[in-house]
């Protein structure tokens, strides 16, 4: 247990050094050797934790996820939240975490001219978000009496990932004070999705649509 804790601590140190390296140099290291040499880490220690610079970059985004989950679970009231509020809490907390690291996140998300190339670093994060959504959907399904009212887990977990990508793009482009428009987008999008989950009147869906239309016109 102690060894595992020490390994996680070392991973956090390497991640921090890598993020600082990228921002300080405004570029990415050309090799593991160059990175380790510049930040005074033994190359053999790096490879005990990460197989490549690419795997380290993916781990950074997943570290944002795990830190978010830890923060949520440290709230004693979180366990009593409805699934809707758990999802809201996740997005609010994740984007607060991302805002604390906005300089790195923006630099990383604009690394390549091809958008799909930039998404490769989010692979581990995608798996984590879909896993989190799957748990919430399955919990919701367990509470439903009839099979016909249960939500398809695979479809909605993939939808949760697409929702995250939409919110990520919104956050990247958001220039409002305190990123308050991102908070509004989170609230309206989550409520719209859970209205579909619960087969309730679609007021929140229409409200979300009006919000997007208003934002589109303002930005244009």
């Amino acid at each position: 247990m102690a060894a595992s804790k020490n390994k996680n601590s070392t991973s956090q140190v390497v991640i921090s050094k890598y993020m600082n390296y990228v921002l300080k140099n405004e570029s990415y290291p050309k090799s593991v050797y160059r990175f380790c040499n510049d930040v005074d880490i033994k190359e053999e220690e790096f490879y005990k934790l990460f197989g490549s610079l690419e795997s380290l970059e993916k781990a950074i985004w997943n570290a944002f996820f795990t830190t978010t989950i830890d923060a949520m679970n440290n709230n004693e009231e979180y366990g009593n939240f409805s699934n809707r509020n758990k999802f809201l809490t996740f997005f609010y907390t994740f984007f607060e975490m991302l805002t604390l690291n906005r300089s790195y996140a923006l630099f990383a998300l604009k690394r390549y001219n091809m958008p799909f190339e930039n998404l490769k670093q989010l692979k581990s994060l995608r798996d984590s978000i879909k896993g989190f959504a799957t748990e919430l959907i399955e919990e919701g399904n367990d509470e439903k009496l009839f099979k016909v009212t249960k939500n398809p887990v695979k479809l909605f977990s993939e939808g949760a990932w697409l929702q995250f990508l939409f919110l990520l793009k919104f956050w990247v482009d958001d220039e409002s004070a305190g990123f308050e428009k991102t908070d509004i987008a989170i609230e309206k999008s989550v409520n719209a999705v859970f209205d579909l989950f619960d087969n309730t009147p679609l007021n929140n869906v229409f409200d979300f649509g009006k919000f997007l239309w208003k934002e589109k016109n303002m930005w244009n």
Side-chain angles (χ1 to χ4, degrees):
M1 191 70 179
S4 176
K5 185 175 180 180
N6 182 60
K7 180 176 180 179
N8 290 334
S9 176
T10 305
S11 298
Q12 293 169 7
V13 169
V14 175
I15 284 174
S16 178
K17 286 180 178 291
Y18 187 80
M19 293 171 67
N20 288 333
Y21 178 99
V22 169
L23 292 175
K24 181 178 180 180
N25 293 283
E26 296 185 339
S27 64
Y28 291 87
K30 301 296 184 182
S31 65
V32 171
Y33 170 80
R34 177 63 182 270
F35 168 64
C36 292
N37 185 66
D38 288 351
V39 301
D40 195 26
I41 295 175
K42 292 182 179 179
E43 194 170 354
E44 62 188 72
E45 293 299 320
F46 177 93
Y47 282 120
K48 288 180 181 178
L49 299 165
F50 307 103
S52 64
L53 293 176
E54 289 75 16
S55 65
L56 168 56
E57 290 162 6
K58 293 173 183 175
I60 290 172
W61 287 92
N62 213 45
F64 294 153
F65 174 85
T66 55
T67 303
T68 295
I69 296 297
D70 288 344
M72 289 161 52
N73 288 330
N74 285 335
N75 181 349
E76 294 181 358
E77 298 179 359
Y78 174 74
N80 297 321
F81 287 179
S82 66
N83 285 344
R84 183 187 296 247
N85 285 334
K86 284 180 179 179
F87 215 51
L88 279 168
T89 301
F90 169 74
F91 278 133
Y92 284 142
T93 308
F94 186 92
F95 281 97
E96 285 179 9
M97 178 67 56
L98 215 55
T99 297
L100 293 175
N101 298 278
R102 185 170 172 87
S103 293
Y104 175 82
L106 292 183
F107 193 83
L109 291 170
K110 298 178 180 179
R111 180 174 184 178
Y112 301 105
N113 293 327
M114 299 292 290
F116 287 112
E117 287 295 317
N118 292 318
L119 293 181
K120 288 182 178 179
Q121 63 190 297
L122 306 183
K123 185 178 184 301
S124 295
L125 177 61
R126 176 178 181 271
D127 294 339
S128 295
I129 289 179
K130 288 183 64 177
F132 174 73
T134 294
E135 290 181 8
L136 294 187
I137 296 164
E138 289 178 341
E139 285 179 13
N141 283 343
D142 288 342
E143 297 172 359
K144 296 184 177 181
L145 296 177
F146 302 105
K147 185 175 181 180
V148 70
T149 64
K150 296 180 184 294
N151 294 305
V153 174
K154 186 174 181 179
L155 175 64
F156 280 102
S157 63
E158 191 64 47
W161 171 244
L162 295 177
Q163 181 183 14
F164 168 78
L165 290 180
F166 159 76
L167 291 171
L168 181 63
K169 178 64 167 60
F170 196 101
W171 174 81
V172 167
D173 296 336
D174 190 359
E175 297 181 353
S176 63
F179 306 103
E180 59 183 14
K181 288 186 177 179
T182 296
D183 287 342
I184 295 172
I186 289 171
E187 179 186 6
K188 292 184 180 297
S189 68
V190 169
N191 282 330
V193 167
F194 272 87
D195 276 356
L196 294 175
F197 279 179
D198 299 334
N199 299 311
T200 55
L202 301 184
N203 292 338
N204 284 322
V205 177
F206 294 130
D207 188 38
F208 181 47
K210 287 190 291 184
F211 169 75
L212 291 181
W213 180 255
K214 180 181 177 181
E215 290 301 311
K216 177 180 181 294
N217 289 337
M218 288 180 63
W219 289 355
N220 288 340

